[in-house]
Amino acid sequence: EDAGPGRRGERSEEGPAERGPGAAFQMFVLMEDLLDKLKLLSYEEEALRRHNMRPLSRHYFALATNPGEQFFMFCTLAAWLITKAGHPFEQPQECDDPNAVISNVLSELRSF
């Protein structure tokens, strides 16, 4: 059975026009799905209030509006999720080197 492009975890070399008219909106659907999952985990109470951060909008990561702020929010959520999964992980700071932060996140995830 041929899996075909567009399945979860696969990368397609086709552009949006070749994938269909809805492909351009897929990132918005994924972001809404992510937000629903974060809400189920009580991210607002457990992660955001601790760091005095605002809740995410429905399309926060789908549009590049403020890359520095979005990167820090991603790192904050990644650290919180790693800790929630039972692996102690130090909360990154805004002044930390982005490459080092991502390297630490990926290293911790590989240890799972």
Side-chain angles (χ1 to χ4, degrees):
E1 186 175 320
D2 186 19
R7 297 259 182 169
R8 185 181 291 227
E10 293 183 9
R11 293 181 185 228
S12 174
E13 299 299 321
E14 299 174 349
E18 289 83 19
R19 291 181 291 180
F25 300 100
Q26 183 63 23
M27 69 183 108
F28 296 100
V29 173
L30 290 174
M31 180 59 210
E32 288 182 19
D33 188 38
L34 170 67
L35 190 57
D36 288 342
K37 291 174 181 177
L38 288 171
K39 286 181 180 180
L40 287 173
L41 293 170
S42 303
Y43 90 104
E44 291 170 325
E45 294 82 20
E46 294 183 23
L48 299 185
R49 285 197 183 139
R50 181 177 303 147
H51 302 289
N52 198 28
M53 299 173 102
R54 293 177 287 135
L56 301 177
S57 68
R58 288 181 14 206
H59 304 130
Y60 186 77
F61 291 117
L63 300 171
T65 54
N66 184 343
E69 176 186 300
Q70 289 171 308
F71 178 76
F72 183 67
M73 178 63 81
F74 168 79
C75 294
T76 298
L77 291 174
W80 172 71
L81 288 168
I82 290 168
T83 301
K84 191 158 182 75
H87 292 242
F89 192 82
E90 188 176 327
Q91 172 64 41
Q93 302 299 313
E94 281 190 90
C95 60
D96 290 347
D97 175 36
N99 292 320
V101 172
I102 290 298
S103 178
N104 291 340
V105 167
L106 291 174
S107 175
E108 192 62 39
L109 292 176
R110 285 185 193 108
S111 74
F112 278 51

